[in-house]
Amino acid sequence: MDLETYTPGSGLLEPRAALRSDAPALDLNGTWRFRLSPTANVPDDFAQPGYDDADWDELPVPSHWPLHGQGAPAYTNVSYPFPVDPPHVPDENPTGDYRRTFDLPEGWTGGRLRFEGAESFARVWLNGHELGFWTGSRLPAEFDAGPWLRPGRNVLAVRVHQWSAASYLEDQDMWWLPGIFRDVTLTRSAADVFVHASHDGRLSFEGEGGLLSIPELGVADLEPGTEVTLDVEPWTAETPRLYDAVVTFPGETVRLRVGFRTISIVDGVLLANGSPLLLKGVNRHEFHPERGRAVPYETMRADVLLMKQHNVNAVRTSHYPPHPDFLDLCDELGLWVIDECDLETHGFHQVGWHRNPTDDPRYADALLDRMRRMVERDKNHPSIIMWSLGNEAGVGRNLAVMADWARDRDPSRPLHYEGDWSCAHTDVYSRMYASHAEVEAIGRLAEDPLDDPDLDARRRAMPFLQCEYAHAMGNGPGGLAEYQELFERYPRLAGGFIWEWIDHGIVHPEFEYAYGGDYGEPVHDSNFVIDGLVFPDRTPSPGLIDLKKVFQPVKFDFGDGVVRVVNAYDYRDLSHLEFLATVEVEGETVAEHRLEVPADGGEVKLPDVPPGPAGECWLTIRGRLSGDQPWAEAGHEIAWAQTLLSSPEPGTAGPAPVLAPVREGGEIVAGGSAFDAATGRLVRLFGLDVEGPRLDLWRAPTDNDRYGGLEGKWRALGLHRLTHRVDAVETGDTLTVRTRVAPAATDLGMRATYRWTPLEDGGLLLTVEVEPEGDWRDPIPRLGLTMTLPAAAVDRVTWFGRGPGEAYPDTGMAARVGRWTATVDELQIPYVYPQENGHRADVRWADFGAFTVSGDPVFGMSARRWSTDELAAAAHRPDLVPGDRVHLHLDLAHQGIGTATCGPGPLPQYELRARPASFTLRFDPS
């Protein structure tokens, strides 16, 4: 068979819905015999029943052979790992041959062989007879097995080629992982059903020869094409009401769950069941750190539960239809879904879209075939609200072929495609990584016009969504709250989908998790596949915790003695929540009250605050589930907010008396600490051997710093190799150390003056004054102090400030003011690609065990068992080896995080510019 054919398959039965049937079926998953060849030029005699495969390996199905020691994975984002010369493929074409025997139950007749997914070109033989071939890796294929089945023992043989003409359609920013990676079944089911159910209760279905019954609604033996109107509860992602339906055919009964809902667009606003719909979504690749795209059902369910628990209400199935079980879970637990066709030709962008399959009529049948198989398989899912033509496949005539067919087959769902900004074939205007300013302009209908006035008018009448935004790669993403504010402000904006759900790190014995290049790929995109809201083991990252806060469906507006509770759900009230108010002073709880909040929200009187100890007094209100939900237990927190009730008057305790520093030999002694007399450098802090503190402008670059270009600018300036010159050491009531901090090869610098004041109560006060010199044109990474301490002396940190997680100027929305405790190791955020992390913000005081630091008014804090240089040099988690020092950072300010790996950098208000600055810290022995 010619692998360079444009034909999408042969011998295939017509696509149909994925249904639960009582027809007999044999599960053909399990252990298969397997042989891997480096090229496609291998005899096909292995397909004969009598072939001896005794010396072959064994391989589980479903799986990918590179994850079982057969070949190796490879990752690219845009680039094809082979020459761009469609439809041709390399001679080096890994080819996997599979064999499995199975016994046919007595009396079995007829049947279909159904493959849910195999990458990328597969041929099938049954008992030596070739049934056909198929492409479209993430879509089902069925063959008529009946004429070739035998009583007793049968031999199924499959040949899978990694590369084919179809590979040009599957350049989807993920690991290239060939193999039979979804289920294989022999089934006697042949039924097909298409249920039409709208939110106003209208019900009909297509299914030749079938009769539909929904006992709960009193529907019995409804015939195809007959419409009835029923009293129903509509389906939404917030209230995923499903009705069990049965369709009876001669010799077969199928079961499905029907959700009544309607998707429409009115006056440029996306509506579900007649009300505006705001998508708070994520993009989800199928991925498991050990199994690749062969994702177990339990993991799919865990994904949906995590999404629901973090206030996510929508999923885009980037960039292919998922396993059908995932869509069942979205129906059951409640997620809006954009189902995306198995199409991406992104690598053609690198050659000017020359010979792009999307505009090549020879590929038209293949693209239409993929659209048909997706729609027919998934058409009964109420969770699916849009069909997407694919992703990053340029523009071309074949999009019209796909769109025209889909509209004719299913006019109830709008069509999505981002790659053509003219929206010539879509019903929504979709973009990726548009800046906040551009999103606001689109919301105001003030975007740049298209050249074609008719297309421009048509597009302006469409809802807008960001199918990808806020690239969640490494530390970040920043700017989430500002995007969400825009989505909620303008009705035209239908929300969007964060890129993406999970870091695609493959478990690796040396690196812990591998990314692009770790398998020796000559062409790869490094760690760009590590860009998710959850780590590979599905531990939530700080980005997901922030997203939960930004997406929370309840809002709180505090006034004088009252709070206004606002219901931000689209389709339900607040009756399933309970609200708890907690009063804390200096992070210690002094009172708790339950608030009686009306189901529709409203103004609620706040409890009186009892008199208590002096200190900052904060009120925190939390909305929690009052009872179990299918996706979370009672008590699960949905939303929260804080307000400051009172704080001590500045200076009420009076200034501490001052003691003058004293010279003792080669040291200056002050406040129970010692300084080198020649340099003014602190050498002992309350008896601890210390280095620093000294001015620091550098941080280990984040992914956003690196890919957005800031790291290159910072390294060109030399901010990672600052020199420190002492200009003066002066003693009096204070110890004053005047320095100049600057990188080599530039005239830029910072004048840094340290003023140490010993206090009679044993404390030590440090004021740092910074004055920039020169023309600092770019933002700087950080402005703060760094010092090192013996690791044995600092193991645990307790602080009063924002926590428990990290926070940077444009992240950390989930960090609330409180008293928190963590070990130094727990302060680290284990990003797969090591980078700046773990900064705790707005710290009032921090107890490091041997001493306490307090700020005037606040400071930022991080502590690590490795230096910034070691963190910046690390490529994988195991590269970070704890040393015998703790590296402590006490910061005045940080550069924002942004999302410049894809999209905008930090908003202007979060940029850190060199400027005169002063900050004060107080050190006290513990």
Side-chain angles (χ1 to χ4, degrees):
M1 180 61 63
D2 184 3
L3 296 176
E4 298 175 346
T5 179
Y6 295 97
T7 304
S10 68
L12 291 164
L13 297 171
E14 283 295 302
R16 63 191 182 104
L19 298 165
R20 288 180 168 80
S21 172
D22 67 353
L26 290 179
D27 180 357
L28 298 181
N29 292 340
T31 301
W32 291 48
R33 306 295 288 181
F34 179 78
R35 176 185 67 188
L36 180 63
S37 302
T39 73
N41 298 319
V42 188
D44 58 13
D45 56 345
F46 81 102
Q48 297 306 311
Y51 184 87
D52 182 4
D53 59 14
D55 61 346
W56 284 24
D57 296 322
E58 291 184 340
L59 188 71
V61 170
S63 75
H64 303 279
W65 70 66
L67 299 183
H68 290 268
Q70 305 276 356
Y75 166 65
T76 63
N77 171 21
V78 178
S79 302
Y80 287 102
F82 46 78
V84 181
D85 185 23
H88 305 295
V89 296
D91 292 340
E92 297 79 16
N93 190 352
T95 296
D97 290 331
Y98 295 77
R99 282 174 55 90
R100 192 197 197 283
T101 63
F102 62 92
D103 292 327
L104 206 62
E106 187 173 347
W108 183 294
T109 58
R112 297 171 172 226
L113 274 170
R114 183 177 178 92
F115 296 83
E116 295 293 344
E119 183 176 329
S120 72
F121 181 110
R123 294 172 64 190
V124 185
W125 293 263
L126 179 61
N127 294 322
H129 177 80
E130 183 176 345
L131 299 181
F133 77 93
W134 87 95
T135 59
S137 298
R138 284 149 283 276
L139 289 160
E142 284 192 327
F143 300 91
D144 183 6
W148 316 106
L149 289 169
R150 300 172 179 173
R153 180 179 182 270
N154 288 261
V155 178
L156 177 60
V158 183
R159 171 165 286 175
V160 178
H161 302 282
Q162 179 162 11
W163 308 125
S164 68
S167 300
Y168 288 98
L169 308 180
E170 298 177 1
D171 185 25
Q172 289 142 319
D173 184 10
M174 59 187 180
W175 293 98
W176 296 91
L177 291 171
I180 303 174
F181 67 95
R182 288 190 186 158
D183 307 295
V184 183
T185 310
L186 176 65
T187 177
R188 282 170 53 185
S189 171
D192 191 18
V193 173
F194 190 0
V195 173
H196 307 280
S198 59
H199 79 287
D200 56 6
R202 288 177 292 128
L203 172 71
S204 64
F205 83 105
E206 303 170 39
E208 186 175 353
L211 298 172
L212 182 145
S213 299
I214 305 179
E216 185 179 356
L217 295 175
V219 177
D221 296 338
L222 184 69
E223 295 184 349
T226 301
E227 182 175 281
V228 295
T229 301
L230 308 166
D231 184 12
V232 300
E233 300 172 44
W235 188 98
T236 74
E238 295 169 1
T239 57
R241 182 64 161 95
L242 295 170
Y243 296 89
D244 292 328
V246 176
V247 184
T248 304
F249 296 89
E252 179 182 1
T253 298
V254 299
R255 298 182 180 274
L256 66 159
R257 295 177 294 183
V258 176
F260 290 80
R261 64 105 188 93
T262 305
I263 304 300
S264 58
I265 296 170
V266 178
D267 296 330
V269 178
L270 179 66
L271 307 178
N273 304 337
S275 298
L277 171 58
L278 184 62
L279 300 170
K280 302 174 182 177
V282 296
N283 285 275
R284 176 188 177 268
H285 266 296
E286 291 189 302
F287 184 75
H288 186 281
E290 296 173 295
R291 304 187 184 189
R293 286 186 286 282
V295 180
Y297 176 82
E298 296 76 17
T299 303
M300 298 183 214
R301 187 174 186 87
D303 276 347
V304 176
L305 294 178
L306 265 181
M307 291 174 189
K308 294 286 291 185
Q309 290 163 7
H310 288 84
N311 295 330
V312 170
N313 74 0
V315 173
R316 174 175 172 236
T317 69
S318 52
H319 298 293
Y320 42 83
H323 192 289
D325 285 350
F326 180 78
L327 299 173
D328 287 339
L329 289 164
C330 294
D331 293 341
E332 172 192 337
L333 296 170
L335 288 171
W336 307 105
V337 175
I338 295 182
D339 200 6
E340 192 147 86
C341 192
D342 192 5
L343 170 64
E344 181 170 333
T345 65
H346 202 174
F348 283 86
H349 172 72
Q350 296 177 327
V351 295
W353 297 109
H354 177 59
R355 301 169 69 191
N356 182 17
T358 305
D359 197 40
D360 186 338
R362 293 171 295 181
Y363 270 107
D365 288 346
L367 270 64
L368 177 58
D369 172 75
R370 289 168 184 243
M371 195 71 189
R372 290 183 65 230
R373 286 157 64 194
M374 175 182 70
V375 171
E376 297 293 357
R377 190 196 74 168
D378 297 341
K379 58 197 173 190
N380 292 307
H381 290 284
S383 57
I384 297 175
I385 59 170
M386 292 185 204
W387 303 116
S388 178
L389 304 182
N391 182 69
E392 293 176 321
V395 298
R397 68 196 82 181
N398 294 335
L399 295 174
V401 174
M402 301 167 73
D404 290 347
W405 180 89
R407 280 202 179 88
D408 183 66
R409 181 66 177 118
D410 180 24
S412 73
R413 291 179 173 99
L415 296 184
H416 168 273
Y417 178 67
E418 185 273 341
D420 181 0
W421 291 1
S422 76
C423 302
H425 309 295
T426 67
D427 302 300
V428 296
Y429 177 24
S430 178
R431 288 284 302 281
M432 293 181 182
Y433 309 109
S435 69
H436 298 81
E438 188 174 3
V439 169
E440 181 172 20
I442 293 170
R444 293 188 291 105
L445 297 175
E447 69 265 34
D448 293 338
L450 296 170
D451 292 337
D452 185 320
D454 292 335
L455 279 177
D456 185 66
R458 181 174 176 273
R459 194 179 75 176
R460 289 177 192 274
M462 293 178 177
F464 172 81
L465 63 87
Q466 284 250 59
C467 66
E468 296 179 21
Y469 77 107
H471 199 254
M473 186 172 177
N475 187 336
L480 287 174
E482 290 78 9
Y483 273 121
Q484 192 64 25
E485 190 278 328
L486 293 171
F487 295 152
E488 294 175 3
R489 190 195 313 171
Y490 296 104
R492 185 190 185 191
L493 304 182
F497 299 84
I498 305 295
W499 186 268
E500 65 159 311
W501 176 242
I502 189 168
D503 287 343
H504 299 201
I506 295 176
V507 169
H508 191 282
E510 179 183 353
F511 304 131
E512 186 174 357
Y513 292 113
Y515 49 77
D518 285 340
Y519 294 98
E521 309 99 296
V523 177
H524 64 84
D525 284 290
S526 187
N527 67 317
F528 220 73
V529 77
I530 307 297
D531 52 3
L533 291 164
V534 298
F535 297 132
D537 64 358
R538 286 175 162 77
T539 299
S541 76
L544 181 59
I545 308 302
D546 277 356
L547 192 69
K548 177 184 178 182
K549 173 63 175 168
V550 170
F551 281 176
Q552 66 181 30
V554 185
K555 300 188 182 300
F556 306 90
D557 294 329
F558 292 98
D560 186 13
V562 298
V563 60
R564 181 168 172 262
V565 182
V566 180
N567 178 15
Y569 283 102
D570 290 329
Y571 304 100
R572 73 181 310 177
D573 61 24
L574 304 179
S575 58
H576 64 298
L577 301 179
E578 61 182 14
F579 292 87
L580 189 69
T582 303
V583 179
E584 294 176 320
V585 177
E586 292 292 309
E588 297 288 349
T589 299
V590 297
E592 283 192 338
H593 305 270
R594 191 177 300 277
L595 300 181
E596 297 300 326
V597 176
D600 293 330
E603 192 169 274
V604 179
K605 184 179 183 301
L606 293 174
D608 294 330
V609 179
E616 278 192 40
C617 183
W618 284 82
L619 172 70
T620 304
I621 296 182
R622 291 173 288 160
R624 310 183 304 187
L625 292 178
S626 58
D628 291 346
Q629 295 285 327
W631 44 270
E633 295 180 350
H636 171 76
E637 185 176 281
I638 298 294
W640 65 272
Q642 283 187 311
T643 188
L644 178 65
L645 296 180
S646 64
S647 58
E649 291 295 325
T652 54
V658 173
L659 294 177
V662 177
R663 286 185 178 267
E664 294 183 1
E667 293 183 338
I668 300 173
V669 177
S673 302
F675 301 79
D676 181 272
T679 64
R681 180 174 62 86
L682 181 66
V683 293
R684 288 192 308 279
L685 177 65
F686 311 130
L688 284 180
D689 170 29
V690 301
E691 297 173 7
R694 64 180 188 174
L695 187 69
D696 190 11
L697 307 180
W698 176 243
R699 73 183 183 196
T702 66
D703 285 322
N704 287 296
D705 295 336
R706 291 193 300 127
Y707 286 95
L710 276 178
E711 179 188 7
K713 294 179 179 179
W714 292 340
R715 289 189 181 275
L717 280 176
L719 298 186
H720 60 302
R721 48 175 175 78
L722 295 176
T723 62
H724 298 256
R725 187 186 75 213
V726 176
D727 290 337
V729 177
E730 304 165 357
T731 57
D733 288 343
T734 66
L735 169 63
T736 301
V737 183
R738 304 183 189 279
T739 70
R740 188 174 191 272
V741 181
T746 176
D747 63 352
L748 299 179
M750 293 277 190
R751 293 284 180 180
T753 301
Y754 307 86
R755 303 184 190 277
W756 294 95
T757 305
L759 306 176
E760 191 175 67
D761 60 8
L764 188 62
L765 203 64
L766 169 62
T767 297
V768 182
E769 297 168 351
V770 178
E771 184 75 32
E773 292 183 342
D775 184 11
W776 292 80
R777 298 185 177 183
D778 295 309
I780 58 176
R782 76 168 354 121
L783 182 63
L785 303 175
T786 184
M787 59 191 297
T788 74
L789 313 158
V794 182
D795 178 64
R796 183 175 296 273
V797 183
T798 298
W799 74 98
F800 177 50
R802 290 172 61 200
E806 72 179 16
Y808 291 82
D810 55 348
T811 73
M813 286 72 69
R816 63 188 83 179
V817 176
R819 184 178 298 202
W820 314 100
T821 297
T823 66
V824 171
D825 292 336
E826 290 168 345
L827 289 173
Q828 314 313 306
I829 308 301
Y831 293 112
V832 172
Y833 192 100
Q835 56 199 275
E836 165 65 37
N837 74 90
H839 177 264
R840 268 55 179 188
D842 295 335
V843 177
R844 281 71 165 163
W845 55 259
D847 185 347
F848 296 96
F851 63 93
T852 299
V853 180
S854 52
D856 183 14
V858 295
F859 61 98
M861 178 269 295
S862 57
R864 307 188 180 101
R865 299 195 187 279
W866 37 78
S867 69
T868 298
D869 289 344
E870 289 169 329
L871 182 58
H876 298 87
R877 291 180 186 174
D879 295 340
L880 295 171
V881 179
D884 60 1
R885 306 288 288 179
V886 164
H887 300 261
L888 177 61
H889 297 273
L890 306 171
D891 293 321
L892 173 65
H894 256 271
Q895 165 74 359
I897 297 298
T899 178
T901 49
C902 270
L907 288 164
Q909 61 266 37
Y910 301 123
E911 290 187 335
L912 177 58
R913 296 286 174 171
R915 67 183 191 278
S918 176
F919 56 105
T920 300
L921 299 172
R922 173 172 171 148
F923 297 81
D924 289 283
S926 293

